[in-house]
Amino acid sequence: MKSIRTILLMLLLVMSLQAREQVNINFSNLQIMDFIKLVSKITHKNILINNKINGTVNFISTTPVYDDELMEILVSVLESKGYTIIPKGSLYEVVRAVDGARHNAKIVQDGKKLSGAFMVTQAIKIKNENVDVVAAKIRYLISKAAKLITMKESNTLLITDYPNNIKTIRKVIADLEKKQAFVVKIIPIKHTDAKKLQMKLNDIIKSIFNATVKSETVKVLYDENTNGLIVVGIKKNVRKVEKLIHEMDVESHVNKKLEIFELKNSDAKEVLQTLNDIIAKQTYSDPSLKPNVAMNADINAIIAIGDPMILKALKLVVDELDKEKYQVYVQAKIVEINKNKSSDIGIKYGFAGGDVSSSGLYAMSANFGSTELTTLATTKVLDYLGNIGSNVGSAFALGATLDFLQIHGASKSISNPSILCVNNKESSIYVGKTISVSTGTVTTTSGLNGVTSSFKREDIGLTLKIKPRVSSKEKVTLDVESILENILDDGSKNATGQPVTSKQEVKTQAILRNGESIIIGGLVKSYERDSKSKVPLLGDLPLIGDALFSSTSKTNEQDNLVVILTPYVIDKSEELSKLQRALGMLAKVQEEYNKKAFELVEEKREVKLKPEESAPKVDIFHNNDRR
């Protein structure tokens, strides 16, 4: 019984020694040195002071405080003056705050409870973030006297600070690590190609997550062994990506799409060649993404199979290639002008010597134009042709010149074809005849003797090739090739009996305005002409008429073949019928223009002629041309 009492007394003594005592303190303007002494007496702790600390402290209390809290109050007061207290054996020492971390602060193991008023050192392991990044975020939380270093090798923070500060820092770090904890999710792909899906997801992730914030980044990796995707990121973002994957993991046939592009204005074969050239020059991260294209000539369409996004890009190319193309309606006049006769007309009417070159025709055309006629023609044509008729005066004068030469027997219209050309496509016109040329003979001796001849057919005439290039609705470039083939001898004048032909070729390029004409000359045909002149009535007498009252002569003649081209640019198909109606009206205006132009030319000639010259000499010719 006595022993039990002894144990109880000992327990009460220990509890009384360890019990926290409450102290009533309340002071004003108390010197800091006196406050240190007061705390030392109440807490029964020896405190070493190496420097005199000036200043006072005020403490207003309405309730008692525990004795161990007095030490925390003292540390707070000293810190405001740049000092702190560190344990040193059986006593406490007041040192400068900046040196506090160097005085062997107590080390508290990670995970142990932090308490007390004095500086301690603790290592904090960082799990889900870079230690330097974490240090930069929490550095503002440490006290002025604290020390903070990072150990990159172990991704650990080493901090010396007051326990309460370290507690706060640990809470912040824990919260950061909780938000930034990355998870790894392996998602198997069942229906589609995982590699293609990865590429699409990477593009989507850039749009929905902020890549500049590390915690927001999500990585999608392709696992070829399982045809699956590995998603790495914070849990919330991984769930979003997983949901997208399930929505996009559909049947594989959705990834391959079939498109048929029906062409309205272009040839499918040419468009297919262009598409193949483009596809061949592209680089695809996955060879299976390369589209397959083909053509169907029956419906003039392009058939494409491939990824929908790639087909969408191909459609843009097809639409651009299938735009309605410019067309050029070319009116051609092929005229043969006799040089001698045109010269005679030029002398008779005082024109430019009958020169039939392109410049000569234009010079002669000046005689068929006048301000009155040009104004009349232009006014009428502008109503039908718009801006095309703005320079139509020279075209009317040229037309009047050609008609005037034809009326007086100096020219002959060979052909007046019209041809509709597609932009950048060559079109051709051929005017001529086909002759037979012997290619050999075979003599047979068996049976009946005979000779078998073989022939081939050759085209002889005028070939005109035109290729337009439209630069704008108002301007076109014409590539023109003109070939003239002629028979010089039908075989009757040489020993071989074979025809002798000639070939003349002109290639040129001209830039013309819409509705402007170009004259292509230089194709000349030479021949001899037999002429016979006789006195009227007497020259028809038998026997003596040819001997006494008629004469024959040979002259060398030249015929110039002139090609006149006039292009009209058409940007829409419906404009063609409108243009043809306008050109029909243009022909009527040309007839009216010619009539008045010829009247003016005759009036000018009559004024120049003397009275005795008004009655021209009459000659009768019988021509026998040998060409």
Side-chain angles (χ1 to χ4, degrees):
M1 188 71 177
K2 187 176 181 180
S3 60
I4 294 174
R5 290 179 180 177
T6 304
I7 293 173
L8 289 174
L9 289 173
M10 291 178 65
L11 289 173
L12 290 172
L13 178 62
V14 171
M15 291 177 65
S16 64
L17 291 173
Q18 293 182 350
R20 298 175 69 194
E21 297 182 1
Q22 290 186 329
V23 181
N24 289 312
I25 56 173
N26 198 340
F27 47 82
S28 177
N29 293 325
L30 179 67
Q31 292 292 324
I32 292 177
M33 295 298 291
D34 294 334
F35 182 53
I36 294 173
K37 295 175 183 179
L38 176 64
V39 171
S40 176
K41 184 179 290 187
I42 293 174
T43 60
H44 305 290
K45 298 293 183 181
N46 298 323
I47 300 175
L48 174 63
I49 305 172
N50 294 321
N51 299 289
K52 183 179 180 181
I53 304 172
N54 297 319
T56 59
V57 59
N58 297 311
F59 186 80
I60 301 172
S61 175
T62 56
T63 57
V65 296
Y66 290 102
D67 55 357
D68 58 351
E69 292 178 339
L70 281 175
M71 188 61 70
E72 293 181 7
I73 295 172
L74 176 59
V75 170
S76 178
V77 170
L78 291 175
E79 188 178 10
S80 67
K81 298 299 181 179
Y83 292 88
T84 189
I85 293 179
I86 61 169
K88 198 169 185 179
S90 60
L91 55 84
Y92 295 149
E93 182 179 1
V94 177
V95 298
R96 294 187 180 277
V98 294
D99 299 326
R102 300 177 183 176
H103 287 79
N104 299 321
K106 180 182 177 182
I107 297 175
V108 180
Q109 296 295 327
D110 190 10
K112 297 292 184 179
K113 184 178 180 181
L114 293 165
S115 61
F118 309 119
M119 280 187 170
V120 296
T121 298
Q122 189 174 52
I124 304 174
K125 180 72 175 179
I126 307 301
K127 299 178 181 179
N128 301 317
E129 183 61 276
N130 184 285
V131 65
D132 289 328
V133 175
V134 173
K137 292 178 180 178
I138 56 92
R139 193 174 294 276
Y140 75 97
L141 295 175
I142 65 177
S143 63
K144 293 180 180 180
K147 296 295 181 183
L148 175 67
I149 62 174
T150 60
M151 294 180 288
K152 297 181 181 179
E153 297 81 1
S154 58
N155 206 47
T156 301
L157 278 175
L158 188 62
I159 183 170
T160 300
D161 203 348
Y162 298 106
N164 287 337
N165 280 357
I166 295 178
K167 287 180 183 179
T168 302
I169 290 170
R170 290 188 67 95
K171 288 180 180 179
V172 172
I173 291 175
D175 188 52
L176 290 173
E177 288 191 325
K178 182 179 179 181
K179 290 182 178 179
Q180 296 177 358
F182 279 21
V183 297
V184 178
K185 183 80 173 182
I186 301 175
I187 305 172
I189 304 302
K190 299 178 181 179
H191 303 295
T192 189
D193 187 343
K195 184 67 175 178
K196 294 180 183 177
L197 188 55
Q198 179 206 18
M199 296 171 61
K200 294 178 182 178
L201 286 172
N202 284 332
D203 290 336
I204 295 172
I205 286 170
K206 293 176 183 177
S207 302
I208 63 176
F209 299 128
N210 188 352
T212 60
V213 180
K214 187 174 181 180
S215 61
E216 288 292 308
T217 58
V218 178
K219 291 185 178 180
V220 179
L221 307 175
Y222 168 59
D223 183 12
E224 59 182 2
N225 295 323
T226 61
N227 191 44
L229 296 178
I230 303 172
V231 184
V232 182
I234 61 175
K235 192 172 183 179
K236 177 183 69 174
N237 291 349
V238 169
R239 281 200 300 264
K240 288 183 180 179
V241 175
E242 184 179 9
K243 183 180 178 182
L244 281 173
I245 291 174
H246 290 317
E247 291 176 353
M248 298 172 70
D249 184 20
V250 293
E251 293 293 337
S252 60
H253 69 268
V254 176
N255 291 329
K256 290 287 186 178
K257 187 177 180 182
L258 171 67
E259 286 279 0
I260 299 177
F261 306 120
E262 294 185 5
L263 305 179
K264 299 178 181 179
N265 304 296
S266 301
D267 181 50
K269 184 177 181 180
E270 294 181 357
V271 174
L272 176 64
Q273 183 177 352
T274 302
L275 292 178
N276 282 329
D277 290 343
I278 293 173
I279 293 171
K281 293 179 181 178
Q282 299 299 311
T283 302
Y284 298 94
S285 56
D286 184 356
S288 63
L289 292 175
K290 185 176 181 179
N292 295 319
V293 292
M295 60 160 281
N296 185 285
D298 294 336
I299 61 173
N300 193 43
I302 297 295
I303 302 170
I305 301 175
D307 184 89
M309 294 299 294
I310 295 177
L311 294 189
K312 186 176 181 181
L314 287 181
K315 186 179 186 305
L316 295 176
V317 177
V318 172
D319 290 344
E320 195 66 27
L321 294 174
D322 195 37
K323 282 185 176 179
E324 186 169 2
K325 295 175 176 56
Y326 279 108
Q327 298 182 84
V328 180
Y329 184 76
V330 180
Q331 278 191 325
K333 292 182 180 180
I334 304 173
V335 181
E336 191 176 73
I337 302 175
N338 185 274
K339 183 176 181 181
N340 294 347
K341 291 181 180 180
S342 61
S343 298
D344 293 341
I345 292 173
I347 294 172
K348 184 176 180 180
Y349 285 89
F351 295 161
D355 186 3
V356 292
S357 65
S358 59
S359 59
L361 279 177
Y362 279 124
M364 185 181 287
S365 298
N367 298 278
F368 292 91
S370 69
T371 304
E372 179 184 354
L373 291 176
T374 301
T375 302
L376 173 65
T378 303
T379 303
K380 290 187 176 183
V381 172
L382 283 173
D383 294 337
Y384 300 100
L385 299 181
N387 291 333
I388 297 177
S390 58
N391 296 303
V392 80
S394 59
F396 276 121
L398 178 59
T401 303
L402 296 174
D403 284 353
F404 189 81
L405 290 173
Q406 185 168 347
I407 290 172
H408 289 78
S411 69
K412 180 173 64 174
S413 178
I414 303 300
S415 179
N416 293 316
S418 297
I419 187 168
L420 185 62
C421 308
V422 178
N423 189 33
N424 282 320
K425 297 289 185 180
E426 185 180 276
S427 300
S428 63
I429 301 171
Y430 171 74
V431 180
K433 61 182 179 180
T434 304
I435 63 172
S436 297
V437 178
S438 176
T439 58
T441 59
V442 177
T443 303
T444 60
T445 58
S446 60
L448 296 175
N449 293 331
V451 178
T452 303
S453 300
S454 58
F455 297 87
K456 67 176 181 179
R457 306 286 283 174
E458 293 285 350
D459 292 330
I460 300 295
L462 173 68
T463 302
L464 182 63
K465 297 180 181 180
I466 302 171
K467 183 179 180 180
R469 291 201 310 274
V470 179
S471 56
S472 69
K473 190 177 179 180
E474 300 299 327
K475 190 173 290 186
V476 60
T477 300
L478 292 183
D479 290 328
V480 182
E481 181 179 356
S482 180
I483 302 173
L484 176 63
E485 294 173 306
N486 190 34
I487 303 174
L488 300 178
D489 180 7
D490 61 1
S492 61
K493 296 181 180 181
N494 62 75
T496 63
Q498 295 293 320
V500 178
T501 62
S502 65
K503 181 178 180 180
Q504 294 170 297
E505 184 175 352
V506 175
K507 290 184 179 180
T508 187
Q509 187 179 77
I511 301 175
L512 303 175
R513 288 177 295 173
N514 193 14
E516 188 177 17
S517 298
I518 180 177
I519 299 176
I520 301 174
L523 302 175
V524 180
K525 179 172 61 177
S526 301
Y527 59 93
E528 289 183 350
R529 188 182 73 169
D530 295 332
S531 301
K532 182 178 181 180
S533 61
K534 60 183 178 178
V535 177
L537 299 178
L538 297 177
D540 295 326
L541 293 175
L543 300 177
I544 62 172
D546 288 339
L548 301 177
F549 303 104
S550 64
S551 63
T552 60
S553 63
K554 290 184 178 182
T555 58
N556 292 321
E557 298 285 345
Q558 278 189 351
D559 285 346
N560 289 268
L561 197 67
V562 176
V563 181
I564 302 173
L565 302 176
T566 307
Y568 298 95
V569 179
I570 304 169
D571 60 342
K572 297 179 181 178
S573 299
E574 54 267 23
E575 294 292 324
L576 179 58
S577 57
K578 180 180 177 181
L579 174 64
Q580 289 175 331
R581 289 194 299 269
L583 292 177
M585 184 57 65
L586 183 67
K588 293 181 181 179
V589 177
Q590 179 75 67
E591 291 178 4
E592 184 180 348
Y593 183 98
N594 292 354
K595 182 179 178 181
K596 294 185 178 181
F598 296 166
E599 290 175 357
L600 291 175
V601 170
E602 291 292 345
E603 289 176 2
K604 292 179 181 178
R605 177 175 176 273
E606 290 176 0
V607 171
K608 292 181 180 179
L609 290 176
K610 298 178 181 179
E612 61 271 19
E613 296 175 341
S614 59
K617 180 180 178 180
V618 177
D619 290 331
I620 299 177
F621 295 94
H622 297 283
N623 298 334
N624 182 18
D625 295 348
R626 293 182 300 189
R627 306 187 181 189

